[in-house]
């Protein structure tokens, strides 16, 4: 079994006989079987099953990307980075982007005015709020 690293969903055709309409529901692909089959969680049995084991299987598709639905103030949070010489520096989290999947993404503005998610930077150390600051993590040797 290979964990799913790309977000794919299995699509299932749902037909409403009363209104004679069809729509699709989806289940996230959790993993890939050794035979390349997409695996989804079966809620009834509590185990992973082949995505096509359901009679209404309609195929796979890339999961839609989560979209920003709101922006919230940064609230005083800071992003800490480690410089090449081992010292740390911070940028202010100017806002939080609320995503359609419920995730919050911190947003910082660098000295050149570019907005980015600090957690995606290679030298990112942590997010913290100065009022509840835990001890800084030890530098790795």
């Amino acid at each position: 079994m290979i964990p799913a690293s790309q977000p794919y969903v299995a699509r299932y055709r749902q037909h409403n006989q009363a209104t004679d309409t069809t729509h699709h529901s989806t289940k996230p692909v959790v993993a890939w079987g050794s035979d390349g089959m997409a695996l989804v969680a079966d809620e009834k049995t509590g185990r992973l099953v082949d995505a096509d084991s359901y009679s209404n299987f309609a195929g796979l598709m890339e999961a839609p990307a989560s979209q920003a639905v709101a922006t919230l103030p940064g609230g005083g949070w800071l992003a800490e980075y480690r410089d090449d010489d081992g010292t740390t520096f911070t940028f202010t989290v100017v806002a939080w982007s609320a995503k359609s999947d419920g995730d919050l993404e911190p947003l910082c503005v660098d000295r050149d005015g570019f907005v980015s998610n600090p957690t995606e930077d290679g030298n990112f150390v942590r997010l913290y709020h100065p009022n509840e600051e835990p001890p800084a993590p030890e530098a790795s040797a």
Side-chain angles (χ1 to χ4, degrees), residues 79-81 89 91 108 110 116-125:
E80 183 175 77
Y81 297 86
F89 62 96
F91 279 113
C108 289
D110 68 13
S116 67
N117 176 345
T119 64
E120 295 174 352
D121 295 334
N123 61 339
F124 170 76
V125 175

Side-chain angles (χ1 to χ4, degrees), residues 23-39:
H23 72 278
H24 288 86
S25 63
T26 60
K27 287 181 174 235
V29 173
V30 178
W32 301 93
S34 57
D35 60 353
M37 180 57 67
L39 302 174

Side-chain angles (χ1 to χ4, degrees), residues 17-66:
Q17 291 181 343
T19 61
D20 196 30
T21 57
T22 301
H23 72 278
H24 288 86
S25 63
T26 60
K27 287 181 174 235
V29 173
V30 178
W32 301 93
S34 57
D35 60 353
M37 180 57 67
L39 302 174
V40 297
D42 183 332
E43 294 85 5
K44 290 181 183 173
T45 63
R47 60 187 191 96
L48 294 179
V49 298
D50 290 347
D52 69 352
S53 66
Y54 297 97
S55 62
N56 61 342
F57 177 70
L60 297 175
M61 66 182 228
E62 269 191 82
S66 178

